[in-house]
Amino acid sequence: MDNSFAFEKRYEEFESQHAHLVAGLEGIADLKERRWYATVLLGRLILIYLLQRRGFIGDGDEWYLQNKLGQSQQRGAHQFYTQFLQVLFFQGFCLPTNERPAEVTRLLGQVPYLGSSLFWPHWLEEQYPDLKIGDRVFEGLLSWLSENPWHLSETPLPEQQPAAIDLRQLAQMFEQFWQAQQFNRFYLQPEVWAALWQRSLSGFIVQQVNQQLQTTFTTLADLRNGLNEPVCEYLVQGILPQLSVLDPACGTGSGLLVALQLLVEIYQPVVTYAQKTRSPQLKTWVKTWGLDLATSAYSLKKWLLSQCLYGIDRSELAVEIARLQLLLSLMASAPTVSAIEPLPHLDFNIAAGDALVGFVSVDEAGFDEIPPLSSGRRRRSPVALQGNLLQPLAAETYRMILAEKNISLEHYRDQTSLMAEVGSVPRYVQAEFLRDRIDELNQQAQAKLNQLLLNDFSQKHGIQYRFSQGKWQKRLLNQADMAVLNPIHWGFQFQQILSRQGGFAVILGHPPWGAIGPTAESFCQEYATLLAQEQISPPDFLKQKKPYLDNQAIATAWQQYESRFGYVNEYLRVSEQYRHQNVGKSFRKRLSQELLYLERCCDLLRPDGFCTLLLPAHMPHEADAQPVLKALLQQTQLDPIVIYRNDPAWFVGLKPTFQFCLLTFQKGGSTAQVTVIDQRG
């Protein structure tokens, strides 16, 4: 069978199983939330199935879920979800073996302690505690899982062996599924991701080694062939601890998966060399990590996931899928079940939020400033100081929050496995306390930084919320308007990278394109329940939305949806953070997302760091891009911008005539002029 045909057939089955799960969910009326939870549940079940295929669950029972479903049905109908799966999720995978109640152990059998947020009670499960799913749904889903061959590796099987679903294909399924939810049907080929990451990581690592050691390596292959003690010592002590890699629009994690695998391939030869050398530094490194040839891939992946890989996306669901896939990749490398207890916590590195809205740096000094008195009474200056609306967050308070968060984070990442029992407090409880405390500090700071952002919008720039009720009206912005934007405050969330390292070492991504503003696609995604209630199919709405705006409910929803973009556009247009976005033009002009991402990535990049972005083909020539490109010429070494056609295909699902460009630069130095190379043929 043709591989592409086999993949499409399996993807259709994947979509069908998701649809059956959505239809079988009882207790969530909202269609969007029902689809969301179905995706979460499907991801959990795939992970558990892969665990049982590896023999890591139920004492090696490769039919664990099927057997447990049969046992549940013997006790009574339609109890599998509520009386088995929920216990497995919340008590089995979230509690060490010796902490589980005896009845839970009898019910579940041998189950590893994963300690992962993937199995913590989801906010949808907490909001809808009376969720029910009939057994028939799981019968079909488990049959689908068992009927398909699975190859639990990121390396495809040899061509002479029967085609199987490997983790790369599963990643493509999730990516295609997610794009379909956004009414897109295209995604970047895994081979393209691999080539781009290879180029970016190779450029950064090879240059760092050459500069430090006065070597003349040209490629990673040259470097691997020339490994010696000084090179290995610098790789593990000088580069790896500072190697922060970011995808600023990571989606379901396809790019990060490739980056993770490539980094493992880069460092595994170093592990092999370090195990044979007499270098005290390398021996200490191997001993500290507990590395050996059997566990090196797993140990490297675990460290890289905690310390090196970072991803941001606007969609919470996409981020949840990305975390799932990265943990699947990790578990595929685990030599034994004991190695995965517990899994790393990825919520600190792979986060949901708007990469464009929020502070790259935080002005601590401004927090304590008080506006002057005027005319015998206190009033705000026309350009208010940051502290005015931020009380009681003073600079002292902010620094304390930041310091405690950083200490807790370092302790959690580096010392969790080394914790000793403290009295009657088990190690896993200490780790959970640290995680909860970090989350609490993050939420505390997020709320107060959002207040600072509100001040930036309202007091500094005078931006108001515009809405239509027959005619356009205005009101003051409030904290809810900031919260709905879900801003990423880089200066707090990634303070250690930005302050200690000067920024991210390598940034690579395919950011969203097009103007910031309302689209029919995102409206259909957000208001799926309303469209279903009004019996309007998304394809019909996408084809021509104007007739449906005669519907009062749809018109009201569209006005509410559209109004959110006005104050965001105006802020991005006047904010000092985007000082190169067409200065002097109308505040109401929509801004291009790709240019905003380009400027933001430059600000997030460390000196000598590498950035690569896939952008629209017209970008180098459009007038709006010239201020940003001029800034890049002044502060980066900008490679020639190369324009391509999608032939051969970089993007699955797009026509060969589709055009795009690849922009790459290294921060530092300057470039004489923008050079464009046209490879469209």
Side-chain angles (χ1 to χ4, degrees):
M1 182 183 293
D2 179 70
N3 285 340
S4 61
F5 178 78
F7 174 79
E8 287 303 321
K9 182 177 182 298
R10 286 171 179 159
Y11 175 72
E12 289 173 5
E13 294 170 351
F14 178 92
E15 274 194 318
S16 176
Q17 291 302 323
H18 184 271
H20 288 318
L21 197 48
V22 171
L25 274 170
E26 298 179 28
I28 302 180
D30 185 274
L31 180 59
K32 178 185 176 183
E33 293 181 344
R34 201 157 69 244
R35 288 173 176 167
W36 187 333
Y37 185 64
T39 308
V40 170
L41 188 54
L42 182 60
R44 285 175 175 174
L45 291 171
I46 289 174
L47 184 149
I48 298 168
Y49 183 76
L50 299 185
L51 277 175
Q52 75 181 41
R53 284 295 308 274
R54 293 220 52 197
F56 286 177
I57 193 169
D59 293 316
D61 183 4
E62 292 193 12
W63 295 88
Y64 176 82
L65 285 175
Q66 289 88 338
N67 289 334
K68 291 299 182 183
L69 174 59
Q71 294 169 15
S72 174
Q73 290 174 332
Q74 289 177 2
R75 293 189 294 269
H78 308 303
Q79 298 178 7
F80 183 64
Y81 172 73
T82 56
Q83 297 188 21
F84 176 78
L85 282 181
Q86 289 188 333
V87 177
L88 178 63
F89 296 160
F90 309 145
Q91 297 184 64
F93 293 133
C94 292
L95 286 175
T97 305
N98 59 355
E99 298 290 331
R100 294 172 195 157
E103 61 272 18
V104 170
T105 300
R106 285 193 296 270
L107 176 68
L108 302 181
Q110 179 268 321
V111 172
Y113 166 52
L114 300 183
S116 170
S117 61
L118 290 174
F119 292 101
W120 296 351
H122 195 274
W123 69 268
L124 286 168
E125 291 165 327
E126 293 177 336
Q127 184 170 327
Y128 301 104
D130 298 324
L131 274 170
K132 295 180 182 178
I133 307 173
D135 287 352
R136 181 167 294 182
V137 174
F138 295 108
E139 290 173 357
L141 181 54
L142 295 179
S143 293
W144 171 71
L145 287 169
S146 61
E147 289 168 1
N148 280 287
W150 293 84
H151 176 52
L152 307 183
S153 169
E154 286 148 323
T155 305
L157 284 168
E159 292 185 5
Q160 63 270 23
Q161 296 190 29
I165 301 175
D166 57 35
L167 293 184
R168 283 162 45 103
Q169 285 197 11
L170 182 60
Q172 286 180 260
M173 286 184 186
F174 274 121
E175 183 70 23
Q176 188 167 326
F177 170 78
W178 170 241
Q179 294 296 341
Q181 302 304 301
Q182 301 183 94
F183 303 97
N184 294 321
R185 285 286 181 178
F186 66 92
Y187 57 90
L188 202 61
Q189 295 267 25
E191 293 78 12
V192 175
W193 276 121
L196 295 178
W197 278 114
Q198 175 80 23
R199 174 182 173 184
S200 298
L201 289 169
S202 175
F204 178 78
I205 293 174
V206 169
Q207 184 180 88
Q208 293 291 308
V209 171
N210 286 341
Q211 288 180 347
Q212 180 68 21
L213 303 178
Q214 304 302 308
T215 50
T216 57
F217 299 119
T218 57
T219 66
L220 280 174
D222 291 341
L223 188 149
R224 283 195 290 262
N225 292 332
L227 285 180
N228 54 35
E229 285 188 4
V231 170
C232 287
E233 288 172 359
Y234 184 62
L235 283 170
V236 302
Q237 295 179 334
I239 294 183
L240 191 56
Q242 306 288 321
L243 187 58
S244 49
V245 172
L246 171 69
D247 184 340
C250 67
T252 60
S254 296
L256 292 175
L257 282 168
V258 173
L260 175 62
Q261 184 63 28
L262 181 57
L263 284 169
V264 171
E265 292 173 4
I266 291 170
Y267 275 90
Q268 270 196 303
V270 179
V271 174
T272 303
Y273 186 94
Q275 288 168 334
K276 301 175 182 178
T277 185
R278 295 181 179 179
S279 163
Q281 293 92 334
L282 292 175
K283 284 186 175 295
T284 300
W285 179 66
V286 170
K287 184 177 179 180
T288 301
W289 280 28
L291 291 170
D292 57 48
L293 291 178
T295 64
S296 60
Y298 182 83
S299 300
L300 280 168
K301 278 186 180 180
K302 190 171 184 179
W303 197 92
L304 291 164
L305 286 172
S306 297
Q307 302 283 358
C308 290
L309 259 64
Y310 299 86
I312 298 295
D313 199 86
R314 290 172 182 164
S315 166
E316 291 183 45
L317 178 55
V319 164
E320 290 181 10
I321 296 173
R323 293 174 188 152
L324 166 72
Q325 295 207 91
L326 290 167
L327 291 179
L328 285 173
S329 174
L330 177 65
M331 290 193 300
S333 300
T336 63
V337 64
S338 61
I340 65 174
E341 298 183 350
L343 293 171
H345 188 63
L346 301 184
D347 296 41
F348 306 139
N349 291 34
I350 315 299
D354 194 328
L356 299 178
V357 182
F359 298 114
V360 171
S361 60
V362 179
D363 181 7
E364 300 173 27
F367 289 165
D368 281 333
E369 296 186 25
I370 300 174
L373 295 176
S374 177
S375 304
R377 58 192 177 94
R378 187 184 300 275
R379 65 183 179 88
R380 294 188 180 94
S381 167
V383 179
L385 298 173
Q386 288 186 346
N388 295 350
L389 295 180
L390 196 63
Q391 301 302 327
L393 179 61
E396 179 78 13
T397 307
Y398 176 78
R399 284 191 288 269
M400 289 174 61
I401 292 173
L402 187 60
E404 184 183 352
K405 178 220 174 182
N406 287 339
I407 291 170
S408 298
L409 188 56
E410 287 184 9
H411 191 63
Y412 176 76
R413 284 173 168 167
D414 298 337
Q415 302 178 34
T416 296
S417 60
L418 304 178
M419 288 180 186
E421 300 284 335
V422 179
S424 59
V425 182
R427 284 176 293 177
Y428 88 94
V429 174
Q430 297 177 61
E432 289 180 359
F433 171 80
L434 282 173
R435 283 199 308 256
D436 291 345
R437 183 57 181 154
I438 295 165
D439 286 337
E440 181 182 339
L441 291 168
N442 282 340
Q443 292 172 18
Q444 183 181 353
Q446 182 80 11
K448 293 179 178 179
L449 289 168
N450 281 359
Q451 183 69 43
L452 174 57
L453 187 64
L454 175 61
N455 183 35
D456 215 28
F457 270 77
S458 297
Q459 302 301 314
K460 187 171 185 179
H461 296 298
I463 298 170
Q464 294 184 325
Y465 187 100
R466 298 176 71 250
F467 62 100
S468 175
Q469 288 185 345
K471 61 178 182 178
W472 285 102
Q473 301 180 49
K474 294 182 179 181
R475 65 162 173 80
L476 295 176
L477 292 169
N478 55 44
Q479 292 186 33
D481 297 322
M482 298 298 104
V484 77
L485 300 179
N486 197 14
I488 292 291
H489 296 297
W490 299 89
F492 177 81
Q493 189 155 349
F494 303 104
Q495 185 267 344
Q496 292 175 303
I497 293 173
L498 296 178
S499 296
R500 297 183 186 180
Q501 301 178 21
F504 291 90
V506 178
I507 300 177
L508 190 152
H510 174 214
W513 298 353
I516 289 184
T519 66
E521 289 81 6
S522 63
F523 178 84
C524 286
Q525 190 178 4
E526 186 169 339
Y527 291 89
T529 301
L530 176 61
L531 291 172
Q533 290 172 349
E534 298 298 319
Q535 299 183 335
I536 300 172
S537 75
D540 289 342
F541 188 85
L542 292 174
K543 192 177 297 181
Q544 191 176 15
K545 75 174 187 292
K546 188 173 181 179
Y548 297 108
L549 295 180
D550 292 334
N551 179 306
Q552 185 59 46
I554 299 296
T556 301
W558 180 265
Q559 289 173 357
Q560 292 174 346
Y561 164 74
E562 188 178 32
S563 296
R564 289 207 304 267
F565 293 94
Y567 67 96
V568 175
N569 259 294
E570 190 171 350
Y571 176 72
L572 296 175
R573 183 66 182 78
V574 299
S575 172
E576 295 87 347
Q577 298 185 70
Y578 297 104
R579 53 198 175 277
H580 302 298
Q581 299 293 325
N582 310 312
V583 176
K585 294 190 177 182
S586 168
F587 285 173
R588 296 183 183 179
K589 179 184 182 299
R590 290 186 183 180
L591 297 174
S592 297
Q593 295 181 85
E594 58 268 19
L595 295 179
L596 292 164
Y597 269 95
L598 179 55
E599 186 163 1
R600 171 123 298 183
C601 287
C602 187
D603 289 341
L604 293 173
L605 197 65
R606 61 178 270 183
D608 71 17
F610 282 73
C611 179
T612 299
L613 297 175
L614 280 162
L615 302 172
H618 59 77
M619 187 281 300
H621 304 294
E622 62 181 6
D624 292 346
Q626 300 315 305
V628 182
L629 292 176
K630 182 179 179 181
L632 288 181
L633 292 177
Q634 295 170 349
Q635 56 187 297
T636 75
Q637 298 170 56
L638 179 63
D639 288 352
I641 302 172
V642 186
I643 302 177
Y644 296 95
R645 293 172 71 247
N646 195 41
D647 184 17
W650 288 43
F651 293 91
V652 176
L654 291 177
K655 296 179 180 179
T657 54
F658 178 76
Q659 300 174 10
F660 55 93
C661 74
L662 191 66
L663 182 146
T664 301
F665 61 87
Q666 182 181 15
K667 194 168 184 178
S670 62
T671 309
Q673 63 182 11
V674 176
T675 302
V676 180
I677 299 176
D678 195 330
Q679 296 281 11
R680 287 175 287 189

